[in-house]
Amino acid sequence: MREVAKRAGVSIATVSRVLNSSERVSSDAKQAVELAIQELNYQKPTAKRKKATKLFAVVVRNMSNPFFAQLIDVLEQEAYKHGRSILLFNSRNNLQLEKTFLSECVNHKVDGVFLIPRSLKQEHLSELGKLPFPVVLLTTTIAGMASIGTNHKHGGEQAAEHFIKCGYRRVGFIGASDTVSERFIGFRDRLVQKGIELAEERILAPYTLKQLQSYMQANLVEASNPIEAVFCSDDIAAGHVYNELKVLDSRDTLAIDLVGFDDTVIAQSLGFSSIQQPIKQIALLGFDTMIAALNAGQLEQAPTLLEPSLVVRHAPKIGQVERTPEILRNE
């Protein structure tokens, strides 16, 4: 750099500014430095690799969801096996809070981040590539990004197939988010393919507990042809439905078949059916992707889509009230 500065007739600091694309350099000085670099065949040194902190961060959307707790548990175990530690951030479904936590990850000089993103909009995801560490997305897949997730649409299709196999015609959907989710789309489309209508009044997404109570009252208690089965976007929603069924059952109201999503401890303990995501596999593949990126010095920007499976349970038939329901089969 001294030789370049001497040849260009400028200071070493000016050469440094030109090499780092600083705007605090006059056009004449920049031209002189670039000419000297060319004449001397100067090669800029490779940037020194930052010292590893042995620290990973995990940013989740909602720590109250046991699905994410299970995911973190696997990541923490793998980190321990590799002599690393985990920093945990809970964005509480707040995009601005997620961005703040990613900035904190920069301040803590973490080696990499596992992110369960709040937003899948391109303007948000594109910012992740500018961070000074690799970011691996978990539970969702994005084309052209390092991401490991589940085929949510196929999960919805499996719930629909289960209802069709059972002969149900009056089915509903209750979701934590809106109806643009892949889980809902897969469920609805498969029902339509089999000639089963998913009536608007039997869709509740998103919902409050008060709205859920009104939904159950209208579609189960007061309906002349009550609903037979409900698919929920996650086990938390299915747990809410389960609790409402217990209240209604005390009034001699018949229960319904219930399918959740995630197959967490909620579904397992209460005993309703659920679409099982391969939680451990998602976490392990995500960790392997991160370690490979650190070893190779670059992150492989490719999605990995895993398949869910239906776990059938029948506990929601609370009280097992005797009845001979009308079941119309689509032969």
Side-chain angles (χ1 to χ4, degrees), residues 126-323:
S126 61
E127 294 298 311
L128 301 179
K130 301 176 184 178
L131 295 171
F133 41 69
V135 177
V136 177
L137 304 183
L138 299 180
T139 74
T140 189
T141 53
I142 304 295
M145 296 192 70
S147 50
I148 296 93
T150 305
N151 190 336
H152 298 285
K153 187 175 181 180
H154 190 207
E157 292 171 349
Q158 289 184 55
E161 289 286 356
H162 171 65
F163 289 167
I164 293 164
K165 183 179 179 180
C166 291
Y168 302 133
R169 303 288 295 185
R170 301 185 300 277
V171 302
F173 175 83
I174 296 174
S177 59
D178 53 39
T179 54
V180 299
S181 73
E182 289 291 308
R183 300 176 185 185
F184 171 78
I185 293 171
F187 178 67
R188 177 201 61 197
D189 291 354
R190 182 52 56 91
L191 289 175
V192 171
Q193 289 172 10
K194 298 296 183 177
I196 299 176
E197 178 189 7
L198 183 58
E200 193 67 32
E201 63 270 17
R202 292 175 182 158
I203 301 172
L204 183 62
Y207 71 93
T208 63
L209 290 180
K210 186 175 181 180
Q211 290 171 329
L212 177 59
Q213 291 168 355
S214 298
Y215 175 96
M216 300 293 284
Q217 190 73 21
N219 289 287
L220 191 62
V221 178
E222 299 173 355
S224 56
N225 292 308
I227 204 167
E228 297 170 304
V230 170
F231 173 47
C232 298
S233 66
D234 57 34
D235 285 349
I236 295 176
H240 290 155
V241 175
Y242 181 93
N243 290 333
E244 287 302 313
L245 288 174
K246 288 182 66 176
V247 173
L248 295 175
D249 187 61
S250 65
R251 305 171 190 169
D252 297 323
T253 303
L254 302 179
I256 59 178
D257 202 349
L258 182 62
V259 174
F261 204 109
D262 293 335
D263 196 38
T264 62
V265 64
I266 298 174
Q268 295 162 18
S269 59
L270 296 182
F272 55 77
S273 303
S274 187
I275 304 297
Q276 184 182 75
Q277 293 202 64
I279 300 176
K280 186 172 183 179
Q281 195 176 358
I282 290 172
L284 292 178
L285 284 174
F287 199 90
D288 289 346
T289 300
M290 181 68 74
I291 294 297
L294 295 178
N295 291 336
Q298 62 180 11
L299 183 63
E300 183 180 353
Q301 302 290 355
T304 301
L305 189 63
L306 304 176
E307 288 298 328
S309 58
L310 172 65
V311 178
V312 178
R313 305 181 182 95
H314 296 290
K317 303 287 185 177
I318 302 167
Q320 293 298 315
V321 181
E322 292 293 331
R323 65 167 181 162

Side-chain angles (χ1 to χ4, degrees), residues 52-87:
T53 59
K54 301 292 183 180
L55 193 62
F56 287 146
V58 182
V59 183
V60 299
R61 289 198 308 266
N62 179 13
M63 268 301 297
S64 65
N65 188 332
F67 173 76
F68 295 131
Q70 289 178 257
L71 191 71
I72 292 164
D73 182 61
V74 179
L75 289 173
E76 193 278 332
Q77 290 182 52
E78 286 303 298
Y80 179 77
K81 292 176 184 177
H82 286 77
R84 295 176 176 274
S85 300
I86 292 287
L87 272 179

Side-chain angles (χ1 to χ4, degrees), residues 19-35:
L19 291 172
N20 290 289
S21 303
S22 173
E23 296 180 357
R24 296 166 52 200
V25 182
S26 68
S27 57
D28 290 342
K30 181 180 179 182
Q31 186 176 1
V33 170
E34 290 176 343
L35 180 60

